């Protein structure tokens, strides 16, 4: 419901996802991309449009710029779509998600989960719909 609300407000949605299972040999890149496409299709079936997405198949030791907490995937999407990174919101359920949002100079980071002192997010939300309501409050003042 929350993601549909953002779509209705013409706010573009993107996905950035670490998928180290590829580099670890657990699945192939083709399989990871296939699963990713299934997720996008399921979201579309529920009326949710994801404008674009990126996955990082690497592990930390690879030193790539795309693996969160590095901001590579976010900055790549911003560049490709002409979006100012300071106007972005990162919603995530891990500290690496929040750090990637901070490192991309995003306007807001929302951690979905229980309040944790080790996660330095601007906002905590128990679930995605609550996170979207907090975004609406941020946008609308």
């Amino acid at each position: 419901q929350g993601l549909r609300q953002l779509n209705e407000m013409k706010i573009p949605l993107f996905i950035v996802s670490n998928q180290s299972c590829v580099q670890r040999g657990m699945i192939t890149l083709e399989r990871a991309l296939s699963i990713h496409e299934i997720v996008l299709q399921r979201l579309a079936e529920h009326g949710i449009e994801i404008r674009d997405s990126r996955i990082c198949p690497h592990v930390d030791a690879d030193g790539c710029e795309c693996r969160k907490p590095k901001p590579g995937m976010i900055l790549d999407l911003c560049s490709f779509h002409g979006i100012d990174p300071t106007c972005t919101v990162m919603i995530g359920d891990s500290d690496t998600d929040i750090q990637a949002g901070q490192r991309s100079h995003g306007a807001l980071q929302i951690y979905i989960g229980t309040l944790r002192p080790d996660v330095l997010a601007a906002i905590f939300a128990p679930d995605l719909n609550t996170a979207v309501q907090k975004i609406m409050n941020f946008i609308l003042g």
Side-chain angles (χ1 to χ4, degrees), residues 14 73-86 88 104:
F14 302 91
M73 291 187 284
I74 297 169
L75 295 175
D76 181 53
L77 285 165
C78 287
S79 175
F80 186 81
H81 292 279
I83 296 171
D84 179 352
T86 64
T88 64
S104 69

Side-chain angles (χ1 to χ4, degrees), residues 4-102:
R4 277 193 302 274
Q5 274 185 291
L6 293 174
N7 276 165
E8 289 167 6
M9 291 184 67
K10 306 296 184 208
I11 296 172
L13 303 177
F14 302 91
I15 295 175
V16 293
S17 179
N18 286 347
Q19 294 298 321
S20 64
C21 54
V22 173
Q23 186 68 12
R24 293 180 184 161
M26 298 167 71
I27 65 173
T28 65
L29 178 58
E30 293 76 22
R31 181 68 180 139
L33 292 171
S34 173
I35 292 168
H36 188 70
E37 283 301 316
I38 291 168
V39 170
L40 295 174
Q41 288 172 1
R42 296 272 165 84
L43 289 168
E45 289 169 7
H46 292 281
I48 299 163
E49 177 193 343
I50 304 297
R51 181 168 297 174
D52 202 351
S53 60
R54 300 286 186 271
I55 69 166
C56 171
H58 306 110
V59 294
D60 289 337
D62 291 335
C64 71
E65 291 301 313
C66 56
R67 183 166 176 76
K68 295 177 291 179
K70 292 182 180 175
M73 291 187 284
I74 297 169
L75 295 175
D76 181 53
L77 285 165
C78 287
S79 175
F80 186 81
H81 292 279
I83 296 171
D84 179 352
T86 64
C87 296
T88 64
V89 176
M90 177 62 158
I91 300 173
D93 63 356
S94 72
D95 190 38
T96 57
D97 294 333
I98 301 308
Q99 289 176 30
Q102 291 165 341

